[in-house]
């Protein structure tokens, strides 16, 4: 009879031994964003210079809000996190938010809540010493904010939000400090339901001492300005994040492996040089793809009981990731959305709204609405070419759907 406790214990021990056979203490390839630890952060020299220039100018009154744009998995979240910790180190107020996890109604409330929780309250729950004289008012606002969750059907008036922001920014915050707002996945705001929120940003982002960074897809600013043209003036700076160079890709892999190596391990152990070359070549400089491929390769090697990861294992890892992720996406789509992405595949993987509407026999308006929803979920990309906007399948969907067609 199998004892489940012994089974788990023995399996865990076997995995540890197998990991040592690969000359690793642990699997060093984690998808978690960097949290103030820069030892795995590679490249981005020009982007960091641009951010440093923005910081320097903002501290002397010349505030220029910026958009950080790039393809999915390129490292936007990690860069925002670097900015967050750099801001905290300099004593500025800083707030991190992910737009896709917050409704428009909740967003401003969350900004207020996080401003207080992350910057004015100590770990033990008391007001930081430099803000003691404002403690009664700060705690009054904080207690009210705790009661306003998405599931709480209570209206937090816009006038109260504006009044509380004004108090925190103009009375509590020191003049020499910035209030830095970091918004990840900001594409979530590029829809009509967020118009009132964007209109609020028109004045909010012009407040003295506020510096904002919005991260999103390459078309983020085009999409935001379609909903609210004034956003172009409020976020005039665009920082593009290109793929890592080959040298940076090798460096990313090497740094993580070195951190997890046991004694006597060679530079890229347990990967062969050919396996590393294949990962760098196939992952196109996208950090998330590199990390996922390396992690899956290690998992396959553990299951197979081998001590070296060669090109064959890397190829298996890429196939597993492509199939599993692609099919999960398809299962998540509605029948109408699934029909559209399959049609995109049949048209070669990329098409305009007009071409798709004609191909499927639907109105451009209907097709455009579905494409916008799929795009907001991050499953397709879009790019302007002259007067036309082309929607393109993500690699995960491309791998599944194009293979199905073949």
């Amino acid at each position: 009879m199998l004892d489940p406790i012994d089974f788990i214990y023995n399996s865990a021990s076997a995995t540890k031994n197998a990991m040592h056979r690969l000359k690793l203490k642990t699997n060093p390839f984690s998808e978690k964003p960097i949290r103030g630890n820069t030892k795995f952060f590679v490249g981005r020299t020009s982007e960091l210079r641009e951010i440093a220039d923005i910081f320097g100018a903002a501290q002397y009154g010349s505030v220029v809000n910026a958009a950080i744009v790039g393809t999915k998995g390129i490292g936007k979240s990690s860069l925002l996190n670097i900015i967050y910790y750099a801001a905290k180190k300099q004593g500025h107020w800083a707030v991190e938010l992910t737009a896709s996890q917050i409704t428009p109604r909740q967003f401003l409330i969350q900004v207020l809540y996080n401003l207080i929780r992350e910057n004015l309250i100590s770990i033990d729950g008391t007001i930081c010493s430099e803000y003691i004289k404002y403690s009664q008012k700060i705690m009054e606002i904080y207690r009210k904010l705790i009661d306003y969750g998405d599931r709480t059907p209570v209206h937090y008036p816009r006038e109260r939000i504006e009044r509380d922001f004004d108090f925190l920014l103009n009375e509590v915050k020191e003049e020499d400090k910035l209030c830095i707002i970091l918004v990840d996945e900001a594409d979530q705001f590029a829809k009509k339901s967020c118009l009132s929120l964007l209109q609020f940003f028109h004045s909010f982002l012009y407040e003295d001492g506020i510096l904002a960074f919005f991260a999103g897809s390459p078309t983020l600013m085009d999409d935001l300005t379609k909903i609210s043209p004034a956003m172009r003036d409020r976020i005039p700076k665009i920082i593009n994040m290109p793929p890592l160079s080959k040298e940076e890709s090798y460096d990313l892999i090497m740094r993580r492996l070195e951190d997890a190596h046991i004694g006597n391990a060679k530079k890229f152990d347990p990967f062969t040089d050919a396996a590393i070359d294949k990962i760098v070549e196939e992952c196109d400089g996208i950090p998330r793809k590199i990390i996922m491929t390396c992690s899956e390769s290690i998992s396959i090697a553990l299951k197979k009981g081998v001590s070296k990861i060669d090109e064959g294992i890397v190829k298996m890892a890429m196939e597993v990731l492509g199939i599993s992720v692609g099919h999960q996406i398809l299962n998540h789509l509605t029948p109408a959305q699934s029909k559209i992405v399959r049609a995109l595949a049949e048209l070669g993987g990329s098409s305009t709204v007009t071409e798709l509407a004609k191909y499927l026999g639907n109105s451009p308006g209907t097709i455009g609405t579905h494409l916008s929803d799929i795009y907001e979920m991050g499953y397709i990309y879009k790019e302007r070419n002259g007067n036309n906007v082309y929607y393109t399948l993500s690699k995960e969907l491309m791998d599944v759907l194009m293979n199905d067609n073949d």
Side-chain angles (χ1 to χ4, degrees):
M1 180 178 177
L2 177 68
D3 184 293
I5 295 176
D6 287 341
F7 173 75
I8 292 173
Y9 175 80
N10 292 333
S11 296
S13 297
T15 299
K16 181 179 179 181
N17 292 333
M19 192 68 78
H20 279 196
R21 189 164 57 244
L22 293 172
K23 298 187 178 180
L24 296 172
K25 291 175 286 190
T26 58
N27 185 339
F29 295 97
S30 169
E31 292 181 64
K32 294 180 181 178
I34 295 169
R35 301 298 301 178
N37 182 354
T38 58
K39 65 181 177 181
F40 296 148
F41 191 86
V42 301
R44 306 302 178 202
T45 305
S46 62
E47 293 93 321
L48 290 171
R49 283 200 185 101
E50 288 185 87
I51 290 165
D53 289 343
I54 290 171
F55 262 69
Q59 291 180 86
Y60 294 96
S62 181
V63 176
V64 179
N65 302 307
I68 299 173
V69 301
T71 58
K72 190 175 181 180
I74 201 72
K76 300 184 293 293
S77 298
S78 292
L79 189 57
L80 283 181
N81 201 249
I82 292 292
I83 297 172
Y84 174 84
Y85 281 96
K88 298 290 276 187
K89 187 173 183 178
Q90 295 180 32
H92 300 304
W93 289 6
V95 174
E96 285 185 296
L97 293 168
T98 301
S100 64
Q101 298 172 358
I102 304 170
T103 66
R105 185 184 74 84
Q106 233 354 55
F107 182 78
L108 297 176
I109 296 172
Q110 282 292 333
V111 173
L112 270 174
Y113 176 76
N114 285 16
L115 270 180
I116 296 174
R117 187 187 65 181
E118 295 182 25
N119 301 282
L120 308 182
I121 296 182
S122 302
I123 296 175
D124 61 3
T126 60
I127 299 292
C128 295
S129 57
E130 62 264 45
Y131 305 119
I132 286 294
K133 65 179 179 179
Y134 304 106
S135 59
Q136 184 175 349
K137 178 66 174 176
I138 291 171
M139 289 309 298
E140 177 188 335
I141 297 172
Y142 186 65
R143 280 193 294 267
K144 289 177 181 178
L145 291 169
I146 292 173
D147 296 331
Y148 289 92
D150 257 350
R151 297 180 182 178
T152 306
V154 182
H155 181 55
Y156 198 112
R158 176 61 62 83
E159 294 77 16
R160 179 183 292 170
I161 291 175
E162 293 177 355
R163 186 171 65 248
D164 290 344
F165 268 130
D166 184 71
F167 168 72
L168 292 176
L169 297 176
N170 297 317
E171 294 188 43
V172 179
K173 183 179 70 64
E174 297 92 327
E175 287 187 11
D176 61 338
K177 289 186 179 179
L178 297 170
C179 175
I180 298 172
I181 311 295
L182 307 168
V183 184
D184 203 0
E185 300 179 16
D187 299 88
Q188 179 71 14
F189 296 148
K191 49 190 179 182
K192 292 182 180 178
S193 62
C194 295
L195 177 59
S196 62
L197 175 63
L198 296 180
Q199 289 173 336
F200 177 84
F201 283 145
H202 296 170
S203 58
F204 178 66
L205 295 180
Y206 267 1
E207 287 276 349
D208 289 339
I210 290 182
L211 177 61
F213 292 88
F214 286 67
S217 69
T219 60
L220 171 64
M221 289 314 302
D222 286 340
D223 297 333
L224 288 177
T225 52
K226 284 179 184 176
I227 304 300
S228 178
M231 289 301 290
R232 179 67 71 184
D233 294 330
R234 299 318 190 256
I235 311 177
K237 182 71 174 177
I238 298 178
I239 300 173
N240 289 290
M241 291 188 70
L244 298 177
S245 68
K246 287 190 175 182
E247 291 74 16
E248 290 167 342
S249 297
Y250 283 109
D251 190 27
L252 184 154
I253 298 170
M254 185 183 68
R255 288 193 191 193
R256 288 176 177 257
L257 287 173
E258 285 181 342
D259 189 64
H261 273 158
I262 62 174
N264 300 320
K266 294 180 181 178
K267 186 175 180 181
F268 287 116
D269 274 341
F271 294 87
T272 66
D273 289 343
I276 292 291
D277 291 342
K278 186 169 184 62
I279 292 169
V280 171
E281 191 66 36
E282 296 290 335
C283 290
D284 304 319
I286 308 298
R288 187 179 299 167
K289 289 183 182 180
I290 295 170
I291 290 168
M292 290 177 65
T293 303
C294 290
S295 183
E296 185 62 29
S297 297
I298 291 173
S299 296
I300 293 172
L302 290 172
K303 292 173 185 175
K304 287 183 169 291
V306 300
S307 59
K308 277 290 182 182
I309 298 174
D310 58 16
E311 282 184 275
I313 291 179
V314 168
K315 185 176 180 182
M316 288 175 60
M318 290 177 175
E319 290 173 352
V320 168
L321 289 170
I323 291 172
S324 61
V325 175
H327 277 96
Q328 286 174 15
I329 292 172
L330 286 176
N331 291 335
H332 183 66
L333 298 176
T334 66
Q337 292 169 344
S338 180
K339 186 177 180 180
I340 287 174
V341 296
R342 291 182 187 279
L344 266 175
E346 291 162 8
L347 291 171
S350 183
S351 181
T352 65
V353 172
T354 304
E355 290 170 347
L356 270 171
K358 184 177 180 181
Y359 184 77
L360 291 171
N362 289 105
S363 70
T366 300
I367 298 298
T369 299
H370 284 307
L371 285 171
S372 294
D373 291 339
I374 302 168
Y375 170 75
E376 286 176 5
M377 291 186 283
Y379 301 151
I380 59 175
Y381 308 115
K382 62 180 179 179
E383 184 176 5
R384 181 173 294 278
N385 187 350
N387 294 325
N388 295 317
V389 175
Y390 284 86
Y391 289 86
T392 305
L393 294 173
S394 65
K395 185 180 185 301
E396 294 83 0
L397 281 176
M398 192 85 76
D399 288 341
V400 173
L401 295 173
M402 302 302 278
N403 287 338
D404 285 352
N405 288 340
D406 291 341

